[in-house]
Amino acid sequence: MRTDFAFVGVMLVTAALLMGVALVAAALLRPKKPNKAKLETYECGMETVGDTWVQFRVQYYILALVFVLFDIEAILLFPIAVAFNSLTFFAVANAILFIVVLLIALLYAWRKGALDWE
Amino acid sequence: MNFINDLLKIIGDFIAGIIQSILGFSPFLADLVTMGLAAVILCTFAALSFMGLTYVERKVVARIQDRVGPNQAGPFGLLQPIADGIKMFTKEDTTPATADRWVYNLAPLVIAIFALTTYAVLPFAPGVVGTNLNVGVFYIIAIGSGSIVAIIMAGWGSNNKYALLGAFRTVAQLVGYEVPMLLNVLPVVMLTGSMSLIDIVNRQTTLDGNPGIPFIVFFPLSALIFLISGIAETARSPFDLLEAESEIVAGFHVEYSGMKFALFFLGEYVNALAVAFVFSTLFLGGYAGPILPPYVWLLLKAAAVFFVFMWLRGTLPRIRVDQMHNMNWKFFVPVSILHLVVVMALMKLFVTSPAAAQANGGILVTPIVQAAILFTASALVLIGSLAIAARRARIMRLQEEALVAQRRAENIAAVSA
């Protein structure tokens, strides 16, 4: 069990090393002649106006909230799925009830216009 | 025959044996070196398949669109990936003066690392797997969302308005399509009773009295939705809204060039190939298959799935943002939930093991009958939901047409008056 996850760690480190080597090699090989015009932010030849890091559409936030709802649902459903074969009818009925409540939540969000994109 | 079937495992055991005999004095060091070597092999496999895939994809899409594709570097353009590699290594790289340097430079590294780490749990043949995690499916989905973080880092760090718009679209898209993906893996996990990818493959073979039917037959709807959300998760055409050239130039990687851009490209292709592998493992039976060796079967299946990706890319136009969201939240998610409920009820009602039938009740059926029942239910949900969607689309279209006709009539009346 411990060594199972150790491999994931080794894999992360190996991937980081290999990709890091590629980046460093490229940094050593490539020419480096920066000037002011090259370092400007790209915007189809125009100079950029105003700050980039500004407020964003609230719609993204609402969709992210709906996503969190379903992500947590998934976390709760996976243990049920793994234990499914040994569950009783009653337990499965409970799980289905739980899913249906979330379906109702989705329909409510839909009705409220949280899923509309204009 | 057995030698060819177990070729990868025999080579692996041989190398592990050599390492054991050299570093026998320290089991910990021997383990570490073996794991490191396996990780290097997996990363190299992924990186090489990325090089090959860029060539194959360009050729195939070119053929679909009646072009020739790369044909200058080497015979049939076969050396094109190497030429691209040399260019990427020697291209000048600029960092925008206003960029957030750390975030900007780390983003390509993060996306490449997360893409490569997915391969740690893919079973290539019996006994040939990086590590058999008991939460394999969960691990793949969790690592898969790592690329979202990298894309937000790239979009935010570039301090470029197009890049930031691309990153925002990513949040909404990749995060959204994770939900149907999760919901459609659940039936597979329920039938197997395990999240380990090796157990899932074994469930689709004839081992332990299983019927040897791939899960695509049990859950055609899950397979279809998983495939489409997989394409959306890897942001490939027709879901490549986050880099739509016509709208936001190149999206989140507009400010990147040279090796950093290459790493984004690598991340994208390696992720797409990983989705092809995972789809083959979950729904097409993985490495299981007659006559040919197991690793050949897995590669063939993954190649077939990836060909579907290329085919879609060559033929479909990019969909609009609102269409993308509607398809996910108003079609995939409700249909997946409905399908999940139906399948859960049926799997509890018709059981295959006598012990479960005795303990929890339910009707005892043979595995084939269970497969037939689940297939019918899944196909019915699929056809029914498509029919409802088509009906709604027709109603909306008729309403729009009526509105247009009414406006035209008003205009004519206004002109003649």
Side-chain angles (χ1 to χ4, degrees):
Chain A
M1 183 69 199
R2 193 164 47 96
T3 46
D4 281 355
F5 279 96
F7 184 76
V8 176
V10 172
M11 191 84 186
L12 277 171
V13 174
T14 314
L17 281 179
L18 286 178
M19 295 301 123
V21 165
L23 276 180
V24 170
L28 294 176
L29 282 171
R30 67 180 178 230
K32 198 164 169 58
K33 302 190 193 86
N35 61 37
K36 198 161 172 290
K38 265 187 203 169
L39 296 184
E40 264 177 17
T41 301
Y42 172 78
E43 207 164 284
C44 304
M46 308 283 219
E47 273 181 37
T48 64
V49 177
D51 197 0
T52 311
W53 297 326
V54 291
Q55 289 176 319
F56 57 89
R57 253 180 101 149
V58 72
Q59 196 70 48
Y60 291 112
Y61 185 72
I62 294 170
L63 279 183
L65 274 182
V66 180
F67 161 73
V68 169
L69 177 82
F70 281 95
D71 222 25
I72 293 173
E73 176 198 10
I75 291 171
L76 293 174
L77 279 178
F78 266 97
I80 296 176
V82 171
F84 190 77
N85 289 330
S86 51
L87 291 182
T88 57
F89 267 124
F90 183 66
V92 173
N94 271 326
I96 288 177
L97 197 66
F98 169 62
I99 300 171
V100 169
V101 168
L102 273 150
L103 185 62
I104 293 169
L106 179 75
L107 294 179
Y108 175 74
W110 189 343
R111 193 67 186 272
K112 279 282 178 186
L115 308 178
D116 291 331
W117 193 275
E118 278 144 29
Chain B
M1 201 59 217
N2 268 335
F3 176 72
I4 296 178
N5 277 346
D6 295 337
L7 188 63
L8 291 179
K9 187 169 165 48
I10 290 168
I11 295 173
D13 288 347
F14 179 66
I15 296 173
I18 293 176
I19 294 171
Q20 283 288 346
S21 62
I22 296 172
L23 297 169
F25 57 88
S26 157
F28 172 74
L29 203 62
D31 268 3
L32 198 67
V33 172
T34 317
M35 284 196 284
L37 202 63
V40 169
I41 290 169
L42 278 174
C43 289
T44 317
F45 167 74
L48 284 181
S49 54
F50 155 65
M51 286 178 75
L53 281 178
T54 52
Y55 171 76
V56 172
E57 167 141 31
R58 286 168 73 177
K59 269 291 189 201
V60 169
V61 173
R63 279 293 162 199
I64 289 171
Q65 295 169 345
D66 208 7
R67 296 181 284 118
V68 183
N71 63 348
Q72 294 299 309
F76 309 107
L78 270 172
L79 298 178
Q80 190 64 42
I82 297 170
D84 287 342
I86 295 171
K87 188 216 162 161
M88 289 301 182
F89 265 109
T90 53
K91 186 173 165 65
E92 183 178 356
D93 187 34
T94 57
T95 306
T98 49
D100 189 335
R101 272 175 184 278
W102 271 96
V103 179
Y104 174 85
N105 286 322
L106 269 182
L109 200 59
V110 171
I111 198 169
I113 292 172
F114 278 126
L116 290 176
T117 320
T118 319
Y119 284 69
V121 292
L122 294 180
F124 288 93
V128 183
V129 57
T131 171
N132 180 20
L133 292 187
N134 52 5
V135 287
V137 176
F138 213 63
Y139 169 84
I140 283 176
I141 290 168
I143 285 282
S145 19
S147 59
I148 302 176
V149 178
I151 290 172
I152 296 169
M153 281 168 76
W156 185 263
S158 301
N159 197 358
N160 179 313
K161 293 190 182 84
Y162 293 124
L164 197 61
L165 280 175
F168 282 158
R169 286 183 177 190
T170 317
V171 189
Q173 177 184 333
L174 301 202
V175 140
Y177 275 90
E178 218 172 281
V179 175
M181 220 167 165
L182 283 163
L183 289 174
N184 285 301
V185 170
L186 278 168
V188 171
V189 176
M190 280 173 187
L191 207 54
T192 314
S194 163
M195 284 193 264
S196 152
L197 287 172
I198 291 189
D199 289 348
I200 288 173
V201 173
N202 284 341
R203 183 68 175 76
Q204 301 174 65
T205 60
T206 42
L207 289 174
D208 307 330
N210 292 319
I213 304 170
F215 281 141
I216 191 170
V217 178
F218 284 86
F219 312 111
L221 180 136
S222 283
L224 186 69
I225 295 186
F226 184 88
L227 190 67
I228 297 173
S229 356
I231 297 171
E233 268 296 280
T234 49
R236 288 176 58 83
S237 183
F239 293 96
D240 55 350
L241 292 155
L242 54 157
E243 46 187 86
E245 300 89 8
S246 51
E247 299 160 23
I248 48 174
V249 196
F252 66 95
H253 57 58
V254 61
E255 291 287 2
Y256 288 89
S257 64
M259 201 61 208
K260 286 174 201 155
F261 171 74
L263 286 193
F264 275 117
F265 218 56
L266 180 139
E268 187 178 313
Y269 271 86
V270 167
N271 264 333
L273 188 65
V275 167
F277 271 123
V278 172
F279 182 79
S280 331
T281 307
L282 289 183
F283 290 105
L284 300 180
Y287 53 69
I291 305 169
L292 291 171
Y295 43 92
V296 175
W297 266 115
L298 182 68
L299 288 178
L300 279 179
K301 285 170 182 172
V305 176
F306 203 87
F307 180 75
V308 174
F309 289 3
M310 295 193 274
W311 191 358
L312 291 176
R313 182 179 169 161
T315 45
L316 289 181
R318 183 181 301 127
I319 63 173
R320 283 199 323 255
V321 180
D322 61 327
Q323 289 170 335
M324 183 264 290
H325 285 298
N326 285 348
M327 183 151 142
N328 182 23
W329 291 110
K330 298 183 180 174
F331 186 63
F332 280 0
V333 174
V335 169
S336 303
I337 294 178
L338 192 69
H339 176 248
L340 189 64
V341 169
V342 169
V343 161
M344 270 171 91
L346 283 177
M347 275 194 290
K348 210 69 235 181
L349 214 56
F350 299 96
V351 291
T352 51
S353 88
Q358 214 149 48
N360 308 323
I363 305 157
L364 191 66
V365 292
T366 60
I368 306 279
V369 175
Q370 193 198 30
I373 291 167
L374 288 175
F375 174 80
T376 317
S378 195
L380 280 181
V381 173
L382 178 62
I383 294 167
S385 52
L386 280 177
I388 291 171
R391 212 181 121 83
R392 263 197 73 81
R394 189 162 170 273
I395 292 169
M396 280 161 78
R397 201 170 62 236
L398 287 179
Q399 277 174 353
E400 206 153 302
E401 274 168 15
L403 205 69
V404 170
Q406 192 195 340
R407 280 211 196 113
R408 189 176 294 148
E410 278 170 9
N411 284 349
I412 290 171
V415 168
S416 56

